[in-house]
Amino acid sequence: MTESNNIESILSSDVTIEPPEAFRAKARTSLESYQEKYQRSLDDPQGFWGDIARELHWFTPFEQVVQWDPPFARWFDGGTTNICYNAVDRHAEGARANKAAIIWEGEPGDTRTLTWRELHREVQRFANVLRRYGVEKGDRIAIYMPMVPEAAIAMLACARLGAIHSVVFGGFSANALRDRILDAGAKVVLTADGAWRRGSVLPLKEAVDAAVTECPCVEHVVVLRRTGNDVNMTEGRDVWWHEAEQQVELTCPAEPVEAEHPLFILYTSGTTGKPKGVLHTTGGYMVGTYLTSREVFDLRDDDLYWCTADVGWVTGHSYIVYGPLLNGATIFMYEGAPNWPEVDRFWDMIERWKISILYTAPTAVRAFMKWGDQWPAKHDLSSLRLLGSVGEPINPEAWLWYYRVIGGERCPIVDTWWQTETGAIMLTTLPGAHHMRPGYAGLPFYGVDAAVVDEQGNPVPDGTGGLLVIRRPWPSMLRTVYGDDQRYKDTYWSKIEGCYFAGDGAVRNAADGYFEVLGRIDDVLNVSGHRLGTMEIESALVSHPAVAEAAVVGRPDDLKGEAVVAFVILEGGRTGDADLAAELKAHVANEIGAIAKPEEIRFTGALPKTRSGKIMRRLLRKIAAGDEDFGDTTTLEDPSIIAQLTAKGF
Ligand code: 7RM
């Protein structure tokens, strides 16, 4: 294991960074306690998870911790509980009652703070609104809202009644919303007049109107007034949130539900066009998000914890709402864009609110890097003590920038690998306990039996790429694809016998067993029989001073199997030419090897991204291959960039 404190020297080498001493001294977990607990979690899962689960409230105690009838798991059978009760009611009396639960800032700069007692009251009141409009245990409710406290209140109110929420990200179109409402058979839709985004109004209610016309299952639409724009209210169907709230009582008891009662459906894209409704249930998801939030973020009562995700994604479910609130942590929520009114909005809020934990995505970190060090430099970021990353592999260059410029070399970074399907963090380091290795997520969390295997399911040697699988059930795992058990079996449990296959490729490091997640398996190239992570090549490209961002895909090649095509955004709006392309190819060859050298470089002003910021490689692969049929591009954030991408490269 190499060690260095000289960040400049480690960019292209394989280096580990020890946790900052001041953090380690106070950390929740030590290396020894991680090892001991991890071992117990595998040797005695019933004891390990039973003990954690009993830290939470059960109306009726569970009889059995886990029952595994592959690929169907049941956790905490016989028990009844309520995740809303555990996340809210438990903290609304006693020491935390008047502590902030949610501190929120709107994009225009308006702010709101809800104490635990206030949150408890708001959730109960809104649960009564849902009841008034006929919502009962087991009903599906679609939530299509801005990032306002009411979005969290709505989710918690559903859970309080045992209703199943399906949050649809506010950036999705009316058609996407319609498909999700129909698949779930949602009875009520919760929305707002609009959402603020870069100073203008995103008309959410308009999209709901268009969607709901084609959804006979929808009986009512409850509309929050947020932006104040004019909206059409359909008599008998639509009601204003604030008016409905005036007609109901302030108290509403939490409904005890069975541990396996469904909690939410969240739609996620797979390899086919039709989105999958990933179904999570109550008890296991609750225990998994509770424990991971506490351990991975080292949560304390005096933290101000900010996860920058949208509640429309699983990260918002598990690490804005449920996990942190189950721990009584104070969460910060922000409504709008990171570059409004200026590109230092995040740093400005961290300074003003004294945010202590920041959990964000590599795509954001790379944008901040591109915007320049002068923006964070204008602000006092000394309140930060821990940083997190999620959503895609973080390239070492971005990791190191995040560590140095944002964290001041004082804050550990947790690079957390998990998925909508896993419900909670699966691979990570524990801050203070573990050294960090830029580009590597780290080790399996408690109870996670992760391995890297070949197509036949045999473990591959450390240092060799393979498929990332999980070999036993874990509490927060998805239970099925909503309404489609067969698709659940086929998608997740059929590729590798007896294992959950995550769809990602990974390599385990021989020195410390750390997992490096290479990305989706279809992002792994095979060039002349050599497996190459697209991420690896992108990271090499980005380490060239002229490059701001890069995306690499494979193009079918008769000789090599696949050839590397790189889409490159240059720093400071520079334009590319043949000379620079040649230089970049040589740079990649120099960084990784001639085998990784791009066959073609296409300079572009932007990359095609989904609204959650993931690069649409499927689309890039088609463009690189000269295919004219781009398939479904409805999730593309800016459809106009296709023209740039199809221009001939060098
Ligand atoms: C939480 C989330 C899941 C996919 C997953 C990976 C990629 C997420 C990391 C990562 C490398 C990470 N859920 N991914 N986190 N890859 N390192 N730390 O993003 O369902 O939307 O996406 O995201 O490919 O399979 S998700």
Side-chain angles (χ1 to χ4, degrees), residues 314-315 390-393 415-420 504 517 520 614:
V314 74
T315 305
V390 61
E392 56 179 314
D415 175 359
T416 62
W417 176 85
W418 60 293
Q419 305 174 299
T420 303
D504 283 325
V517 180
R520 304 297 299 182
K614 289 196 169 51

Side-chain angles (χ1 to χ4, degrees), residues 83-155:
I83 194 172
C84 175
Y85 182 92
N86 276 296
V88 181
D89 300 41
R90 280 191 318 135
H91 316 301
E93 293 297 333
R96 289 186 182 127
N98 297 306
K99 184 186 98 145
I102 301 180
I103 295 178
W104 171 84
E105 186 163 310
E107 195 186 71
D110 47 338
T111 69
R112 222 171 123 195
T113 298
L114 285 147
T115 64
W116 287 96
R117 193 163 272 152
E118 288 172 308
L119 178 64
H120 188 219
R121 185 188 65 213
E122 295 302 318
V123 168
Q124 292 185 82
R125 175 156 58 187
F126 195 67
N128 281 331
V129 168
L130 293 175
R131 282 213 301 207
R132 185 185 161 94
Y133 290 99
V135 174
E136 289 172 10
K137 184 179 168 191
D139 286 342
R140 277 81 56 217
I141 309 301
I143 300 179
Y144 185 69
M145 292 190 59
M147 281 291 292
V148 291
E150 285 81 1
I153 289 167
M155 292 161 73

Side-chain angles (χ1 to χ4, degrees), residues 339-354:
N339 54 353
W340 186 267
E342 267 303 345
V343 298
D344 62 347
R345 180 62 181 264
F346 276 24
W347 322 128
D348 181 44
M349 290 191 296
I350 289 168
E351 179 175 27
R352 279 189 286 110
W353 292 106
K354 299 204 182 307

